[in-house]
Amino acid sequence: MNPFFENFRDRVPDWLDARGPASDIVVSTRVRLARNLKTFPFPHHASNVELGTIFGDLTRRLMRFAEFSGGWVLGMEQLDPPMRKVLLELNLASPALVKEPQHRGLVVSPGLERAVMINELDHIRLVTFRAGLDPTAALEDALGIDASLENEVEPAFSEDLGYLTASPADVGTGLNVSTLIHLPGLVLAGEIDKVLNALRQLQFSVRGQSEEGSTVRGAMFRIANLVTLGKDEQEIVDDFQTHVGKIVIYERSARDQLYARDPLGIEDMAHRSLATVRHSRLITAQEAYDHLSNIRLGAGLGILEPLQPGLLNKVLVQQQTAHLELASGRPLTSREKSAARAALLREVFAAE
Amino acid sequence: MTCQHCGQRDATVHLVELVDGLRKSQWLCAVCAGRASDNGDENPGFPFGGSGEEGEGEDGEFSLASFLGQVFESPGDTGMADLSACPVCGYTLDQFRKTNRLGCPGCYEAFRGPLLSILSHLHRHVSHLGKAPHPFAGGLDRPGILSRARVSLEKAIGAEDFEKAARLRDQIQRLESAEPPEGDS
């Protein structure tokens, strides 16, 4: 077994520790740079020999970087399907990487705050994470690794179009900055559609929590920039910071107004959810997301006793299906998953 | 011109490799170029590859660096590339329309016309204003980057965005102080 997966329940990403800016609302920020090698076809059009060459060469080079020292090389082909899904649930691997594992994989840093996906949609997809809303720090980190890579391999770059990517949606800076944000106040106040539409007007994409799904669970949204041309990296990140920063302010004020208007209702919701996760024997994923959302809201408003920082983020990741299956060491039926999820939540939220 | 490998079919692919710093050039037909590219037949028209030298690197490893020196050109210099297929990788505009993905970096040149309208729709802009890679020797058009940075600097000063202007000024100073690349690229 790849050593990455030994004691994987303790291997919690640093960026889930809730110690970043606006961590009461924003779980994490991710920056991604898409890069390609100048003389190879893009991964979906490349031969297996080419893909194998690229994977071998890039992993060797990256593992020599200080940023990845002590980290891991995770070849998707060598991993069992539940392990691949765990990487997906950690947001380290993308659905594309899981679907087509051959000669594809990633290099991950020890704190899981940096990763390079190799032969995903592009040859190189460099990602960095930060706790809370901190796109500038994540960008700085990503550009540092990018500069080191450019000392070693020549990227596909055009003078007028910038970094050339498999999809024209990423060309230019190849920069995607996204954030996972919890907006229960705006959802309960019925303001969420207005806010999300405004964001879409400003050329941002808004989706549910998971990389693939558009389903919104537990009022968690993923906001990302769409425009990669006509602005430099810092401008893209500054615009993102400005607009997401405004949403953080709207969310805080929506929460305060809701609580002021109906304190008993909000308190009941938070306590009821905490009681549910403390005592249930079967909990589906959808239920878990909803209760965790209410508990997060209650803790944020000071209704519930303070929780250990990052605990809610950690459990949000660990209650997912592949994490539960890998922890039990075998495939689970959906009833068994609900039972395992309930057991995890009881343990995490056990009353003192 | 006939293929320098089989001597039968018309050569359509110009394979140029840098081997130990020496330029090695061959004109091949699509079939031979495809064979040179890999053992399988996944991309028969694709002109990349180790030409049978795979696995013969110094430490028995297949080196990416040997690939990076390879340059491919379309036959002749007519500039009249067939717009329906990329001369570098053979990917067609039709495939792009189906997958929304391009075949290789060269596709951006081959399909430039249709792409520019897609890009202006997607991004509302068609110019890259972000960072450029470290210039490789003879690789990039440094004066182009410089002039673009100067235009951005003027814009930033006009908009009183002094933080950005300072950044651009530093970038321009770095570019100006760097050694100019030798020869033309």
Side-chain angles (χ1 to χ4, degrees), chain A residues 14-255:
Chain A
D14 287 352
W15 40 272
L16 287 179
D17 69 6
R19 291 179 200 274
S23 270
D24 54 329
I25 314 273
V26 179
V27 175
S28 58
T29 305
R30 187 187 86 153
V31 155
R32 180 265 285 157
L33 295 173
R35 299 288 186 256
N36 285 280
L37 303 173
K38 191 180 179 184
T39 51
F40 282 85
F42 297 131
H44 74 104
H45 192 45
S47 69
N48 281 330
V49 172
E50 287 162 337
L51 293 175
T53 305
I54 293 166
F55 186 71
D57 187 276
L58 287 177
T59 49
R60 252 196 322 276
R61 289 175 193 275
L62 287 163
M63 286 309 280
R64 287 199 296 259
F65 289 10
E67 287 93 340
F68 293 103
S69 142
W72 297 272
V73 175
L74 302 168
M76 296 307 267
E77 252 176 306
Q78 284 81 50
L79 302 178
D80 301 333
M83 295 181 181
R84 292 175 201 161
K85 270 201 76 188
V86 160
L87 295 174
L88 184 66
E89 290 176 354
L90 284 168
N91 204 15
L92 291 171
S94 67
L97 217 56
V98 172
K99 212 155 55 181
E100 281 191 79
Q102 212 181 13
H103 301 301
R104 290 167 166 87
L106 61 157
V107 172
V108 188
S109 69
L112 315 192
E113 77 280 43
R114 306 179 181 105
V116 179
M117 285 187 256
I118 298 168
N119 291 332
E120 203 246 16
L121 188 57
D122 297 294
H123 296 137
I124 299 166
R125 287 200 153 201
L126 167 56
V127 291
T128 55
F129 297 88
R130 283 293 182 278
L133 178 61
D134 203 356
T136 302
L139 175 69
E140 203 174 299
D141 197 9
L143 289 177
I145 303 168
D146 185 44
S148 310
L149 258 175
E150 285 177 351
N151 285 329
E152 307 233 355
V153 292
E154 185 169 5
F157 182 84
S158 125
E159 184 55 39
D160 60 338
L161 294 178
Y163 291 92
L164 303 178
T165 51
S167 163
D170 300 315
V171 76
T173 55
L175 170 64
N176 179 275
V177 47
S178 65
T179 194
L180 187 61
I181 187 167
H182 185 225
L183 303 174
L186 292 168
V187 170
L188 288 170
E191 296 282 305
I192 192 73
D193 287 340
K194 211 167 72 186
V195 170
L196 299 187
N197 285 334
L199 275 174
R200 292 191 178 107
Q201 291 282 313
L202 290 161
Q203 303 274 87
F204 290 96
S205 86
V206 186
R207 288 177 303 170
Q209 177 183 1
S210 74
E211 179 82 358
E212 48 192 329
S214 49
T215 359
V216 176
R217 288 172 150 177
M220 283 286 180
F221 298 86
R222 192 174 292 281
I223 302 171
N225 69 306
L226 287 172
V227 170
T228 55
L229 280 169
K231 291 179 183 182
D232 72 13
E233 288 81 1
Q234 194 61 49
E235 203 177 340
I236 291 173
V237 156
D238 288 348
D239 285 353
F240 186 84
Q241 169 83 47
T242 304
H243 294 298
V244 177
K246 278 184 197 155
I247 292 180
V248 167
I249 294 167
Y250 296 152
E251 170 63 21
R252 283 192 189 128
S253 99
R255 288 180 188 190

Side-chain angles (χ1 to χ4, degrees), chain A residues 39 44 146 159-160 165-166 230, chain B residues 48 102-103 108 112 127 131 148:
Chain A
T39 51
H44 74 104
D146 185 44
E159 184 55 39
D160 60 338
T165 51
Chain B
F48 284 99
L102 294 152
Y108 278 91
R112 191 174 174 82
S127 321
K131 63 162 285 212
R148 205 178 54 210

Side-chain angles (χ1 to χ4, degrees), chain B residues 35-68:
Chain B
R35 278 199 196 119
S37 76
D38 64 288
N39 310 326
D41 275 330
E42 286 200 343
N43 296 293
F46 192 75
F48 284 99
S51 1
E53 290 164 14
E54 293 159 15
E56 291 175 18
E58 271 182 27
D59 41 9
E61 283 177 342
F62 194 34
S63 148
L64 181 60
S66 76
F67 274 95
L68 296 178

Side-chain angles (χ1 to χ4, degrees), chain B:
Chain B
M1 186 189 295
T2 52
C3 173
Q4 292 179 332
H5 188 256
C6 65
Q8 292 170 0
R9 288 171 288 259
D10 279 347
T12 55
V13 175
H14 190 195
L15 177 66
V16 185
E17 284 175 286
L18 285 175
V19 181
D20 296 331
L22 294 174
R23 189 174 191 270
K24 193 175 131 194
S25 145
Q26 266 185 302
W27 282 94
L28 301 173
C29 67
V31 177
C32 292
R35 278 199 196 119
S37 76
D38 64 288
N39 310 326
D41 275 330
E42 286 200 343
N43 296 293
F46 192 75
F48 284 99
S51 1
E53 290 164 14
E54 293 159 15
E56 291 175 18
E58 271 182 27
D59 41 9
E61 283 177 342
F62 194 34
S63 148
L64 181 60
S66 76
F67 274 95
L68 296 178
Q70 295 184 354
V71 181
F72 297 91
E73 298 162 11
S74 56
D77 258 326
T78 60
M80 295 289 290
D82 180 4
L83 276 183
S84 65
C86 169
V88 180
C89 74
Y91 209 66
T92 65
L93 205 49
D94 201 41
Q95 281 174 294
F96 168 59
R97 290 194 175 116
K98 282 186 191 129
T99 61
N100 287 323
R101 296 182 195 180
L102 294 152
C104 77
C107 291
Y108 278 91
E109 205 45 56
F111 308 138
R112 191 174 174 82
L115 272 173
L116 285 180
S117 61
I118 292 169
L119 292 176
S120 76
H121 178 73
L122 281 175
H123 301 280
R124 298 180 186 171
H125 293 276
V126 291
S127 321
H128 173 61
L129 292 183
K131 63 162 285 212
H134 304 312
F136 275 67
L140 281 167
D141 172 17
R142 201 188 305 251
I145 301 171
L146 250 176
S147 66
R148 205 178 54 210
R150 289 195 183 110
V151 171
S152 305
L153 175 61
E154 279 171 30
K155 269 178 25 188
I157 292 171
E160 300 193 353
D161 184 348
F162 298 116
E163 204 179 317
K164 185 173 174 185
R167 230 174 24 243
L168 285 162
R169 187 200 56 215
D170 292 347
Q171 189 192 358
I172 291 167
Q173 278 172 355
R174 269 200 309 278
L175 284 165
E176 282 173 342
S177 65
E179 286 276 303
E182 279 180 47
D184 295 325
S185 55

Side-chain angles (χ1 to χ4, degrees), chain A residues 276-349:
Chain A
T276 305
V277 298
R278 274 184 177 159
H279 300 288
S280 292
R281 264 45 187 178
L282 293 167
I283 293 191
T284 64
Q286 181 62 63
E287 259 185 296
Y289 282 113
D290 290 343
H291 291 307
L292 291 172
S293 171
N294 293 342
I295 294 169
R296 191 184 284 268
L297 176 63
L301 286 169
I303 296 167
L304 302 176
E305 62 213 76
L307 296 158
Q308 187 193 327
L311 183 80
L312 283 163
N313 295 342
K314 188 173 149 178
V315 75
L316 198 65
V317 168
Q318 290 184 339
Q319 61 83 33
Q320 297 175 101
T321 303
H323 274 78
L324 296 174
E325 287 196 318
L326 202 57
S328 340
R330 65 185 175 87
L332 301 175
T333 65
S334 75
R335 194 178 169 87
E336 285 170 336
K337 279 175 208 159
S338 294
R341 184 176 293 111
L344 171 77
L345 293 176
R346 283 203 309 277
E347 183 194 319
V348 169
F349 292 100

